[in-house]
Amino acid sequence: MEEFQGPEPGRHNTSEIRSQRKWWISVFFCGFLILTGDSLVMLLLNFYYVQNNRSENDQYQQYRGTWTQALIQNVAFPILIPLFFILPKPETVSDQTNTRHPPFLRVLLLYLSLGVLVSVYSKLYALARLYVGWGILVPAQLILTSLFSAFINRLKFNRWIIISIIFTLAADFFCAPAFSGTPTEDESYTYGIKAWLILIFPTLAFSLSLSLTQLGFERVLAKTKRYGGSNKKVFRMVLEMQIFVSFVATLVCLVGLFVSGEFKELKGESERFKKGRTYYSLSLVGLALSWQVWAVGLLGLVLSVSGLFADVVHMCASPVVALLVVLAFEFKDDDFGWQRRGALLGSVLALACYFYYLHKTKKKEMAELNKRDNNNNNSEEA
């Protein structure tokens, strides 16, 4: 699973077949991480807000604790450091080549900018979920991701990608997982321009971060000397990106936690927790680890395919997550009815369309490689 990109032209076809097989395994593995991370995050968030009596509190308390949730989303990155050093280092290019490597400042700027973006959407998503719920957040996010992918990453849309996006939007429109932190009906007066601004900015920051991450993999990390400088994409890049970006985001969230004075409320939250302080701590630790599982899977798909595909897979996990929430909690009027069953089918069709496009792309690459090899053999025989 280490290498995502196929071998250079001229190698034997068997090597190319093996490389593509590894690529497919990596894609499915990262998709599994996203599904696992999404499911655990949603289940633990619901458990956290149910046990915290959030729905019974006043308006002021309803929208507190967002810096804490933003910090939890990023703070567990140290668990990835041992894995980063365990993975083998790629071969570096010879110093005698003319390969130009991006300066250290460009890499630093990449991590700083992405870290700030991640901290922004971590904070605002935590707040937006409490203001407008879960369902309206993700569809708006995919639309923005599509636009950024077209203009920043120069992604060429075809009918299969467009059909996949349409199915994904339809599925998520009908299948938002129930969320216990959503405001109750008597708090509906809080909706308005403020709620819509809180909705727009996190989706904007998240979508932009996906496109910039893809650009950073292709234009910066893949060209550095430590990764061979030959545009190869290896899983080690995902861990490096996640560790440094999360480190910056954690620092920003810590500053926000202390400047806002929210750290003073942590004791009160642990005391309000129905299951006690032990379960309060375990729920936060579980959330932190789940967010890292999700993030590694997301960045893995950004690296191996694109930011748009990563977002599609993330959104297509919603029907499965909704089913798990129904099974785990007893929310009023929440079931897995015909709408969510249809959404599950829509997600399957969305993924099928996108995977069919990827299959056609890889098949075309193999045909071009075979053609080049045949031409080379004919030239040698002549």
Side-chain angles (χ1 to χ4, degrees):
M1 193 186 67
E2 175 65 11
E3 188 172 311
F4 286 119
Q5 182 166 305
E8 299 176 1
R11 293 187 182 179
H12 197 271
N13 287 351
T14 304
S15 178
E16 174 66 19
I17 294 173
R18 187 163 49 246
S19 179
Q20 288 200 12
R21 190 174 299 162
K22 290 181 180 179
W23 183 87
W24 280 110
I25 292 174
S26 300
V27 169
F28 282 107
F29 176 72
C30 292
F32 172 76
L33 291 181
I34 290 179
L35 176 61
T36 303
D38 270 328
S39 302
L40 292 175
V41 165
M42 197 61 189
L43 291 173
L44 289 171
L45 274 176
N46 273 302
F47 175 77
Y48 173 84
Y49 283 112
V50 166
Q51 297 298 322
N52 202 27
N53 293 319
R54 185 58 61 95
S55 60
E56 302 174 7
N57 291 326
D58 56 21
Q59 180 185 356
Y60 174 78
Q61 185 62 35
Q62 168 71 32
Y63 306 112
R64 301 294 294 175
T66 51
W67 276 117
T68 302
Q69 288 299 321
L71 178 63
I72 292 300
Q73 185 169 339
N74 299 285
V75 74
F77 68 91
I79 66 169
L80 302 177
I81 295 177
L83 182 59
F84 174 78
F85 287 104
I86 290 174
L87 290 179
K89 296 181 179 179
E91 297 180 0
T92 58
V93 296
S94 174
D95 293 334
Q96 297 178 354
T97 63
N98 295 324
T99 305
R100 297 181 62 183
H101 305 293
F104 171 76
L105 289 179
R106 189 183 301 178
V107 179
L108 180 63
L109 180 61
L110 171 67
Y111 291 145
L112 288 176
S113 58
L114 286 176
V116 171
L117 271 177
V118 169
S119 64
V120 168
Y121 77 67
S122 298
K123 158 67 177 178
L124 292 181
Y125 259 125
L127 187 59
R129 284 192 291 265
L130 299 177
Y131 261 92
V132 297
W134 197 279
I136 199 171
L137 286 170
V138 185
Q141 168 188 302
L142 182 59
I143 295 174
L144 290 172
T145 303
S146 302
L147 293 175
F148 285 130
S149 297
F151 289 103
I152 296 178
N153 306 117
R154 305 296 182 184
L155 179 67
K156 295 181 180 180
F157 289 80
N158 59 26
R159 64 179 180 274
W160 295 110
I161 294 179
I162 295 174
I163 293 174
S164 177
I165 292 174
I166 293 174
F167 274 125
T168 305
L169 290 173
D172 273 77
F173 181 78
F174 290 105
C175 193
F179 180 53
S180 58
T182 304
T184 56
E185 293 182 0
D186 60 345
E187 294 170 329
S188 59
Y189 63 90
T190 59
Y191 286 74
I193 296 178
K194 182 178 180 181
W196 284 102
L197 290 177
I198 293 176
L199 165 67
I200 292 172
F201 283 111
T203 55
L204 185 67
F206 178 82
S207 301
L208 182 60
S209 71
L210 285 180
S211 293
L212 293 181
T213 298
Q214 182 179 341
L215 201 66
F217 280 137
E218 296 171 352
R219 301 289 182 85
V220 181
L221 286 187
K223 297 182 181 298
T224 57
K225 187 176 181 179
R226 63 180 175 278
Y227 289 113
S230 56
N231 295 326
K232 287 186 178 180
K233 299 176 182 179
V234 295
F235 194 76
R236 191 182 175 97
M237 292 179 182
V238 171
L239 299 180
E240 179 181 329
M241 179 76 76
Q242 178 62 15
I243 290 170
F244 284 101
V245 170
S246 294
F247 173 72
V248 175
T250 298
L251 293 180
V252 175
C253 292
L254 278 173
V255 172
L257 184 70
F258 283 96
V259 170
S260 65
E262 194 175 294
F263 71 97
K264 300 176 183 178
E265 303 171 6
L266 295 178
K267 183 178 180 180
E269 282 197 351
S270 63
E271 292 175 349
R272 285 195 306 270
F273 215 72
K274 295 178 183 179
K275 292 287 188 178
R277 294 183 178 180
T278 301
Y279 279 93
Y280 172 78
S281 301
L282 290 176
S283 66
L284 293 185
V285 171
L287 268 173
L289 297 176
S290 301
W291 277 121
Q292 292 302 310
V293 171
W294 171 81
V296 170
L298 190 77
L299 293 186
L301 290 186
V302 173
L303 176 69
S304 56
V305 185
S306 68
L308 177 61
F309 179 69
D311 205 7
V312 167
V313 174
H314 166 48
M315 290 182 60
C316 286
S318 292
V320 178
V321 176
L323 174 60
L324 294 176
V325 171
V326 169
L327 296 175
F329 300 94
E330 295 181 357
F331 293 135
K332 185 178 180 180
D333 299 329
D334 184 37
D335 58 10
F336 201 78
W338 65 269
Q339 286 185 330
R340 287 182 170 174
R341 294 173 187 174
L344 181 60
L345 177 61
S347 294
V348 172
L349 293 175
L351 290 176
C353 290
Y354 217 121
F355 274 108
Y356 178 69
Y357 159 70
L358 295 177
H359 169 71
K360 288 182 63 179
T361 302
K362 290 297 178 181
K363 188 176 180 180
K364 183 179 179 180
E365 291 178 0
M366 181 61 71
E368 292 177 351
L369 180 64
N370 290 334
K371 184 178 179 180
R372 284 197 300 267
D373 286 347
N374 290 333
N375 292 336
N376 291 336
N377 292 334
N378 292 336
S379 298
E380 292 176 358
E381 291 175 358

